[in-house]
Amino acid sequence: MKKPIGVFDSGYGGLTILADLQKKLPEYDFLYLGDNARAPYGSRSFDVVYEFTLQAVEFLFSQGCELIILACNTASAKALRTIQQNYLPTIEAHKRVLGVIRPTSEIIGSITQTKHIGILATEGTIKSDSYRLEIEKFFPEIEISQKACPMWVPLIENQVYYQLGGKWFIEQDVMKLLAKDKAIDTLLLGCTHYPIVAEIIKEIVGEDIAVITQGEIIANSLSDYLDRHASLAAMCTKNGETYYFTTETSHDFDKKAAAFLHRPIQSKHVVIR
Ligand code: DGL
């Protein structure tokens, strides 16, 4: 049986993480699931994000995954801990679900020089305050300012972020965040959709502010994790293949996913509940 590493996001955003996982760990098999029919998750309640994420995790385990990455900050913020504490102990002991907030928090404090960072993310991630809580554990001296950007995921998923109106929303949110703290020198894009608009943000903030995306951070962290967990790593199959599943129609997914990955892919439609 194939045992790919599961990669989950509410929609297309996790593809920005998957691309770096494939680059860093080309020998591994991956199974990507986008819950496109129910995205975005960003403004949904804790209970709903937990329920949807748990359904996704159960689906990925049913497909043979032993290890799952929630390549979605919103799901990592709102569902990961409860899944790790309440759900995983009820199934086979070696199976693991990992998120993207902790590995990012471990690194972000070593990038800033001024010790002032800004975070842009979905409403759910910002309201959970997960980044502040995690970053404080590793870098208690760092000043954190945050801004929720509820318009960005719809702009990105509908591919209208480069139009004048789309750019206007992005600029407004970035400027509001920077106005909170003039000493910010590092801007974390704390949503896996946002790398798609990273170039637009770089143009807005200029060269003095570093714009940080998560793909490479998560890929390095997973590679490290697999080195430290040799028996789990040995269970994952390694044919260099990736399988794509979406809860929306596969035609739509294939078209938009190609824009995220810059290459054609073929997905399968799946119903999860
Ligand atoms: N890509 C997801 C994240 O990293 C969220 C997108 C959504 O709102 O569904 O937070």
Side-chain angles (χ1 to χ4, degrees), residues 9-10 13-14 39-43 71-75 122 125 153 190-193:
D9 183 47
S10 61
Y41 280 13
S43 305
C72 174
N73 289 271
T74 311
T122 66
T125 302
V153 169
C191 170
T192 55
H193 281 70

Side-chain angles (χ1 to χ4, degrees), residues 22-259:
Q22 290 168 324
K23 208 159 113 190
K24 179 84 186 173
L25 301 161
E27 67 278 25
Y28 279 86
D29 297 334
F30 295 98
L31 195 167
Y32 185 87
L33 171 65
D35 190 9
N36 301 78
R38 302 187 293 193
Y41 280 13
S43 305
R44 292 189 186 272
S45 69
F46 177 93
D47 288 345
V48 170
V49 173
Y50 174 67
E51 188 191 323
F52 288 179
T53 306
L54 182 59
Q55 289 168 355
V57 163
E58 284 177 330
F59 169 76
L60 290 167
F61 281 148
S62 78
Q63 297 301 302
C65 301
E66 305 283 354
L67 170 64
I68 296 169
I69 311 297
L70 300 184
C72 174
N73 289 271
T74 311
S76 299
K78 291 188 152 187
L80 179 62
R81 186 176 298 255
T82 318
I83 285 174
Q84 286 175 335
Q85 288 178 353
N86 297 354
Y87 171 69
L88 288 185
T90 68
I91 61 165
E92 290 160 76
H94 66 273
K95 293 190 189 260
R96 289 287 176 272
V97 181
L98 306 174
V100 289
I101 293 181
R102 192 182 174 98
T104 307
S105 302
E106 283 173 5
I107 293 290
I108 194 76
S110 53
I111 299 173
T112 169
Q113 304 285 316
T114 61
K115 306 289 173 212
H116 290 247
I117 71 166
I119 300 175
L120 298 159
T122 66
E123 220 174 331
T125 302
I126 299 296
K127 278 194 184 150
S128 75
D129 218 19
S130 303
Y131 267 110
R132 185 186 306 282
L133 297 169
E134 281 300 322
I135 293 171
E136 274 174 4
K137 287 183 197 157
F138 302 103
F139 306 99
E141 73 285 9
I142 284 187
E143 280 290 322
I144 301 165
S145 303
Q146 309 188 69
K147 173 87 184 77
C149 311
M151 290 300 292
W152 290 23
V153 169
L155 287 173
I156 292 167
E157 295 237 325
N158 292 301
Q159 297 180 324
V160 291
Y161 54 85
Y162 52 82
Q163 293 175 4
L164 221 55
K167 282 189 180 170
W168 185 85
F169 276 111
I170 295 170
E171 183 158 9
Q172 288 292 308
D173 286 336
V174 171
M175 296 318 280
K176 278 183 195 157
L177 174 62
L178 294 183
K180 290 185 185 198
D181 179 356
K182 300 276 183 250
I184 290 173
D185 72 343
T186 303
L187 213 50
L188 170 64
L189 306 190
C191 170
T192 55
H193 281 70
Y194 297 178
I196 298 298
V197 294
E199 290 308 314
I200 297 176
I201 299 170
K202 283 180 192 168
E203 270 176 38
I204 297 168
V205 302
E207 282 175 4
D208 293 341
I209 296 180
V211 177
I212 307 301
T213 56
Q214 297 174 282
E216 236 181 275
I217 298 174
I218 304 307
N220 288 338
S221 159
L222 178 61
S223 164
D224 206 54
Y225 182 89
L226 292 168
D227 286 346
R228 286 183 286 110
H229 297 81
S231 58
L232 189 59
M235 282 183 206
C236 302
T237 49
K238 299 170 190 73
N239 306 297
E241 286 174 10
T242 303
Y243 316 95
Y244 297 88
F245 287 84
T246 174
T247 56
E248 248 304 339
T249 64
S250 53
H251 174 73
D252 250 33
F253 184 86
D254 294 355
K255 218 169 84 196
K256 288 189 183 166

